């Protein structure tokens, strides 16, 4: 049975979606795993845009509304890397309590299912927390973000879901406000990866190609690959 990993943060702009796509790509291309990425940010989705799915037909919204089966909403980015996008600018209210049960059909088809969650403490992130087997928490090494990261970890604890570790994204050791010890002692969770800040990330987004595929020999790509190896 495949594992469902929630990628969460309650602060926008930390690079949660980029981490989701690149961890998934590293699992698929470096390790040959069958990976499905799902956009669980139902109100402000952009995971599909990261992978070139701009105007999807069937989406996770259609699945939740009963308009299609979850298998009908799957898009193939490549043989081992698949995606379920969300509908852009969807304004109607959706009930997310059945999200977990919708994923059960997929666990036999994929080694890993990665959920890109909402960055808000609302019913959307609770859908990810409920559906996930375990979690990665994305943060950055600054005081405001670490403060919200504590809330994220507390929310995971309320759902009794294990946090595999903190991923400190956009890290620049010369400009960072906080050290590993500062972060771990404040949040109470181990840092499993520091992901280097790299301006070429924007170029990979513009070309709708995961960074690990576009710049496979870069330091950041190696860090994503090491993170995927730790997950395995």
């Amino acid at each position: 049975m495949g594992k469902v990993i929630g990628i969460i943060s309650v602060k926008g702009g930390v690079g949660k979606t980029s981490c989701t796509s690149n961890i998934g790509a590293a699992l698929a291309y470096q390790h040959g795993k069958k990976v499905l990425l799902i956009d669980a940010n139902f109100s402000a989705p952009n995971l599909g845009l990261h992978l070139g799915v701009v105007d999807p037909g069937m989406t996770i919204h259609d699945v939740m509304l009963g308009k299609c089966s979850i298998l009908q909403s799957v898009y193939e980015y490549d043989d081992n890397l698949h995606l379920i996008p969300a509908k852009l600018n969807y304004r109607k209210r959706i009930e997310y309590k059945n999200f977990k049960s919708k994923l059960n059909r997929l666990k036999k088809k994929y080694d890993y299912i990665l959920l890109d969650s909402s960055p808000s403490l609302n019913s959307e992130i609770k859908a990810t927390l409920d559906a996930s087997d375990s979690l990665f928490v994305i943060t950055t090494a600054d005081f405001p973000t670490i403060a919200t990261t504590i809330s994220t970890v507390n929310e995971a604890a309320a759902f009794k879901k294990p946090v595999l570790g903190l991923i400190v994204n956009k890290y620049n050791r010369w400009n960072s406000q906080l050290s590993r010890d500062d972060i771990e002692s404040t949040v109470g969770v181990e840092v499993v990866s520091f992901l280097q800040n790299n301006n070429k990330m924007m170029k990979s987004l513009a070309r709708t190609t995961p960074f690990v595929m576009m710049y496979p020999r870069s330091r950041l790509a190696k860090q994503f690959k090491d993170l995927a190896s730790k997950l395995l």
Side-chain angles (χ1 to χ4, degrees):
M1 297 291 284
K3 297 295 184 183
V4 180
I5 310 297
I7 313 295
I8 65 171
S9 171
V10 296
K11 185 175 185 297
V14 297
K16 176 175 50 62
T17 303
S18 295
C19 287
T20 302
S21 61
N22 280 284
I23 294 170
L27 287 167
Y29 291 97
Q30 184 182 14
H31 298 286
K33 299 299 181 182
K34 198 78 171 178
V35 179
L36 174 67
L37 311 178
I38 301 180
D39 199 332
N41 186 357
F42 305 106
S43 59
N46 56 39
L47 181 60
L49 299 179
H50 282 232
L51 297 176
V53 180
V54 178
D55 187 21
M58 296 301 179
T59 69
I60 192 64
H61 286 97
D62 296 300
V63 174
M64 300 307 297
L65 292 169
K67 294 182 177 180
C68 69
S69 74
I70 197 163
L71 294 175
Q72 290 176 305
S73 67
V74 175
Y75 293 75
E76 290 191 14
Y77 183 80
D78 211 321
D79 288 344
N80 284 346
L81 186 62
H82 295 178
L83 164 73
I84 297 180
K87 196 176 296 292
L88 298 176
N89 300 316
Y90 193 83
R91 300 300 182 188
K92 296 181 181 179
R93 181 176 176 82
I94 292 181
E95 179 57 61
Y96 305 117
K97 67 180 181 180
N98 296 323
F99 182 56
K100 180 178 181 178
S101 64
K102 299 286 186 183
L103 302 187
N104 289 336
R105 293 186 64 186
L106 301 170
K107 286 192 168 185
K108 292 183 179 180
K109 294 178 64 68
Y110 295 96
D111 299 306
Y112 289 94
I113 300 171
L114 304 186
L115 307 180
D116 181 27
S117 80
S118 166
S120 301
L121 284 175
N122 54 22
S123 60
E124 294 184 21
I125 194 173
K126 291 176 181 177
T128 292
L129 292 169
D130 180 53
S132 298
D133 297 313
S134 52
L135 306 161
F136 278 128
V137 176
I138 311 299
T139 188
T140 50
D142 57 88
F143 292 109
T145 305
I146 290 299
T148 61
T149 299
I150 296 171
S151 299
T152 309
V153 170
N154 289 341
E155 196 71 13
F159 276 78
K160 299 181 179 179
K161 295 301 173 76
V163 175
L164 300 173
L166 300 178
I167 299 172
V168 181
N169 194 29
K170 303 181 181 180
Y171 184 70
N172 185 335
R173 63 190 180 120
W174 305 115
N175 296 326
S176 176
Q177 294 177 338
L178 298 166
S179 67
R180 176 189 290 271
D181 288 343
D182 291 332
I183 296 168
E184 291 181 340
S185 62
T186 301
V187 181
V189 176
E190 178 188 6
V191 174
V192 293
S193 182
F194 285 92
L195 299 175
Q196 178 191 31
N197 188 45
N198 192 312
N199 293 331
K200 290 182 178 179
M201 177 64 76
M202 297 304 297
K203 191 171 183 179
S204 76
L205 295 179
R207 296 192 179 181
T208 64
T209 303
F211 189 92
V212 295
M213 298 169 59
M214 193 163 173
Y215 302 103
R217 296 184 180 180
S218 69
R219 183 179 179 185
L220 178 57
K222 182 179 184 301
Q223 290 166 341
F224 277 122
K225 292 174 184 178
D226 288 346
L227 184 54
S229 296
K230 290 178 182 178
L231 178 57
L232 291 174

